[in-house]
Each structure stands twice: as structure tokens, then as C-alpha cells.
């Protein structure tokens, strides 16, 4: 144990540098009035640093996965805290958009496969798993087992999430003229928060994260705390009004973590993947926009929430955007949980059949 701690100490200055770069990026983005500045600003600054550092030294910046996982669990608690008792009656009414996720997944995968296979010239296996509209870790793992290009799969899925994270807030800004960010629309407490509230949030994040992982839920380290907090909040057992500074900090940690992952690629490969990713996301967002336009009148969620529900981003990142907008983050997370679970299940079944043949 002590040897592990001694090995950790030399890495701390590098981690501190990443966090400071992320903070500088966040503050710069906020000064410029960019959407969700603590997430996007930190991501851009750290990604730039990671790519340049890897190109010069061949080493990746060290970023501890447990740090990001911890704050993702906190995000789950913050999202769950927005769930109120009167929202429980709305759950049965989202069946129409949940069911619409089934044809959306099949259409999204077919479109993505066509772009990666015929425009990107990916091999069939890499194109198949790169086109999965959800489940980053699962897509890379399944693709590796099937013989796909692991580096390309990793980059492509990270870019899918990043492109959606950048695009959705920007579209809302252009549409409404209001900045989506740390002070926009969130149901969090901007005033000083009692120590007991901080302890309660930490406890729910810990217990929910452990339960979510034990139950093997998709994105269990976030869905577990979310479900636990939402249940306790809806039943009146707890009444959490999370501190706004905690959301800003969580966005910063997630943004730095995403940015650090870009060190693994060359600029040429990154640009190639980026062009394909932009094309895929643009088509899928157009598809999601059409579905949201058709179904929003029949859903308890507003159009903005339905659109975010069909955006092919990560559960954590889409939850953060919904939380910042104040548009039913729990219901949005439920859609993304179904999308990822359904996508991974279908692809896993197809992969097993292909292997048996």
C-alpha cells in the first residue's frame, strides 16, 4: 500500500497541471460566454495539451480513472435530486419516446455503418462497432474481441461524445440566444450549503455507485446514485439542493478526463476520425430532431428534452446538459440508459451469432 502511495506522489504535479489547465480553459470559456464552459473549456485546453505532449514525448498525461468515476457518481446524485414526487406520474407517459428509441438505434447504426464503411473505408468489423450509437466501453471491448481496430474505435466513440457535447449546447445557444452553462436553468443551490448536505451527497454517491456496479447496470457508477437519489427524493426521505459549485467542479473533472484521452492519436488520424464523426453526428442529430418534432406533442417532456434524449452522446454528458438546461434530466437519462442497453444487447447477440457461425 505504501509503495503504491510512493509511486503516486511523482504523478501528482502532472495531475495538478491538467486540472489547472482545465480550470484556465473553463474560465476562458465562461469569459467568452460559451455554453457549458466548465466542461467544454477544460476539454479543449487539456486535449490540446495532451496531443502536443504526446507528439513531442510519446507519453500520455496521467489522469486517474477513480477521480472521474467519483465525480460521475456525484453527477448522478445531482441529477437524481431533481426528481420530484409529481414527476413519477409522468414516467408511464414516456413509453412512446422509449419505444421510438428502437427504430432510432437500428437506423442510427445502419447510417453510421454506411458512412464508416463506404466513406471512411473502415474494414467491416471496425465499421460495425464504430457505428454503435452508444456504449463506449462496450463497443471498444466487443470490437477488440471481433478483431477491429481498437485505436480507431476508441477515438471514434470519444469523438462522438465530444462532438455531441459541443454541438447540442451550441445549437440551443443559437436557437434561444441563452448560454447553456453553470448558471443556466439548473435546479441547484447557489447559496452556501450545510456540511450535512455535502456528506449526504457523498454518501449517496458512494452507496449508489457500489450498488450500480454490483448490479452491472450500464454506466452503473452514475445510474446507481441517480436511481437511489431519485427514489429517496421522490418519497420524501431526503430533500437535496446540491451546491452549484459542485456541478461546476464535476463538469471540470469530466472535461479534463475526456481531454486527456486524446493523447493516444496523431493529429492526422484525429482529423480523419473527426471529419467522419461530424458527418455521422450531423445525420443522427437530424434524425433525432425529426423524431423530437413528431413525438414532443405526445410526450410529457418539452421538445428540448426529447431532442437531448435522442442525441447520441454519453449518459453522463447528456445528463449534465439536461441538468444545466433544467429540462427533465432524470427522464433524459432514462432514455439514454435504454438506448445504450438496447444497443449493447443487440450488438452482443449479433456478435455471438457471428462467432458461432
Amino acid at each position: 500500500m505504501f509503495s503504491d502511495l510512493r509511486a503516486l506522489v511523482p504523478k501528482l504535479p502532472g495531475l495538478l497541471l491538467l486540472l489547472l489547465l482545465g480550470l484556465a480553459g473553463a474560465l476562458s470559456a465562461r469569459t467568452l460566454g460559451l455554453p457549458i464552459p466548465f466542461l467544454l473549456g477544460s476539454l479543449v485546453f487539456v486535449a490540446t495539451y495532451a496531443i502536443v505532449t504526446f507528439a513531442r514525448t510519446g507519453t500520455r498525461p496521467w489522469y486517474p480513472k477513480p477521480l472521474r468515476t467519483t465525480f460521475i457518481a456525484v453527477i448522478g446524485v445531482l441529477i437524481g435530486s431533481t426528481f420530484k414526487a409529481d414527476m413519477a406520474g409522468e414516467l408511464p407517459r414516456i413509453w412512446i419516446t422509449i419505444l421510438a428509441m428502437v427504430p432510432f438505434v437500428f437506423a442510427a447504426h445502419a447510417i453510421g455503418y454506411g458512412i464508416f464503411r463506404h466513406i471512411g473505408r473502415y474494414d467491416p468489423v471496425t465499421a460495425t462497432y464504430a457505428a454503435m450509437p452508444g456504449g463506449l466501453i462496450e463497443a471498444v471491448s466487443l470490437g477488440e474481441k471481433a478483431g477491429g481496430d481498437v485505436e480507431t474505435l476508441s477515438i471514434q466513440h470519444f469523438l462522438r461524445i465530444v462532438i455531441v457535447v459541443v454541438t447540442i449546447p451550441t445549437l440551443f445557444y443559437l436557437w434561444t440566444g441563452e448560454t447553456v452553462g453553470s448558471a443556466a436553468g439548473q435546479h441547484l443551490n447557489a447559496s452556501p450549503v450545510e456540511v450535512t448536505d455535502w456528506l449526504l451527497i457523498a454518501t449517496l454517491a458512494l452507496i449508489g455507485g457500489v450498488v450500480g456496479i454490483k448490479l452491472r447496470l450500464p454506466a452503473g457508477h452514475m445510474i446507481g446514485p441517480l436511481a437511489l437519489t431519485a427514489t429517496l427524493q421522490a418519497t420524501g426521505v431526503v430533500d437535496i439542493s446540491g451546491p452549484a459549485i459542485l456541478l461546476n467542479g464535476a463538469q471540470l473533472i469530466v472535461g479534463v478526463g475526456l481531454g486527456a484521452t486524446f493523447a493516444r492519436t496523431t493529429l492526422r488520424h484525429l482529423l480523419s476520425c473527426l471529419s467522419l464523426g461530424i458527418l455521422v453526428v450531423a445525420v443522427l442529430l437530424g434524425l433525432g430532431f425529426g423524431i423530437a418534432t413528431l413525438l414532443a406533442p405526445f410526450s410529457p417532456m418539452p421538445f428540448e428534452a426529447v431532442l437531448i434524449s435522442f442525441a447520441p452522446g454519453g449518459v453522463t454528458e447528456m445528463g449534465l446538459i439536461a441538468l444545466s438546461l433544467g429540462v427533465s434530466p432524470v427522464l433524459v437519462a432514462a432514455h439514454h440508459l435504454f438506448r445504450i442497453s438496447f444497443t449493447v444487447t443487440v450488438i452482443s447477440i449479433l456478435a455471438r451469432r457471428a462467432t458461432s457461425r
Side-chain angles (χ1 to χ4, degrees):
M1 177 179 177
F2 291 107
S3 61
D4 292 339
L5 291 176
R6 284 196 296 269
L8 182 64
V9 170
K11 299 178 179 179
L12 294 180
L15 175 61
L16 180 60
L17 175 60
L18 288 182
L19 295 175
L20 289 175
L21 280 172
L23 180 60
L27 295 177
S28 299
R30 188 169 68 173
T31 300
L32 294 173
L34 299 180
I36 49 173
F38 282 85
L39 180 64
L40 296 186
S42 60
L43 191 159
V44 171
F45 269 50
V46 173
T48 303
Y49 169 78
I51 292 172
V52 172
T53 300
F54 186 79
R56 290 181 175 179
T57 66
T59 58
R60 295 175 56 188
W62 178 75
Y63 191 80
K65 184 178 179 181
L67 178 62
R68 183 173 181 267
T69 302
T70 298
F71 275 87
I72 288 177
V74 170
I75 292 170
V77 174
L78 295 179
I79 292 175
S81 69
T82 66
F83 192 76
K84 307 301 180 184
D86 57 350
M87 293 176 62
E90 297 180 352
L91 290 175
R93 296 177 55 201
I94 66 172
W95 65 269
I96 187 170
T97 46
I98 290 290
L99 286 181
M101 196 65 70
V102 174
F104 173 80
V105 166
F106 283 112
H109 189 265
I111 292 169
Y113 178 85
I115 292 174
F116 290 128
R117 181 76 180 99
H118 301 294
I119 299 178
R121 301 296 181 184
Y122 289 0
D123 63 86
V125 174
T126 302
T128 296
Y129 291 95
M132 283 178 61
L136 184 153
I137 296 175
E138 293 84 358
V140 175
S141 299
L142 290 170
E144 181 179 15
K145 291 178 182 178
D149 186 333
V150 177
E151 181 181 355
T152 297
L153 288 173
S154 301
I155 296 171
Q156 205 66 71
H157 280 285
F158 273 119
L159 284 174
R160 169 177 58 83
I161 293 173
V162 171
I163 293 169
V164 173
V165 166
V166 173
T167 303
I168 290 293
T170 303
L171 289 177
F172 277 107
Y173 173 72
L174 295 175
W175 187 6
T176 66
E178 297 179 1
T179 301
V180 179
S182 56
Q186 61 198 18
H187 302 297
L188 299 178
N189 192 354
S191 59
V193 180
E194 297 291 337
V195 175
T196 52
D197 290 332
W198 286 89
L199 293 175
L200 180 58
I201 292 172
T203 301
L204 291 172
L206 176 61
I207 296 175
V210 171
V211 171
I213 293 173
K214 289 290 184 182
L215 294 178
R216 297 183 179 181
L217 299 174
H221 46 289
M222 190 192 85
I223 297 300
L226 189 159
L228 176 61
T229 306
T231 301
L232 296 178
Q233 190 88 359
T235 55
V237 176
V238 300
D239 184 14
I240 300 175
S241 181
I245 190 174
L246 191 56
L247 175 61
N248 294 341
Q251 292 184 61
L252 176 67
I253 295 299
V254 172
V256 171
L258 284 175
T261 62
F262 283 93
R264 71 179 66 193
T265 183
T266 63
L267 183 59
R268 181 177 181 179
H269 191 195
L270 180 63
L271 291 176
S272 173
C273 292
L274 180 62
S275 61
L276 292 172
I278 291 175
L279 178 58
V280 171
V281 169
V283 175
L284 297 192
L285 285 180
L287 180 61
F289 183 89
I291 293 175
T293 302
L294 289 173
L295 299 185
F298 308 100
S299 171
M301 301 189 299
F303 172 83
E304 296 85 351
V306 178
L307 178 59
I308 296 174
S309 296
F310 282 86
V315 179
T316 303
E317 293 76 21
M318 293 301 96
L320 274 174
I321 291 175
L323 189 61
S324 295
L325 284 170
V327 288
S328 309
V330 174
L331 301 183
V332 168
H335 285 77
H336 285 287
L337 178 61
F338 179 83
R339 170 177 57 83
I340 293 173
S341 301
F342 183 73
T343 300
V344 172
T345 299
V346 170
I347 295 297
S348 298
I349 292 173
L350 295 177
R352 282 197 296 269
R353 289 185 176 180
T355 301
S356 65
R357 291 175 183 174

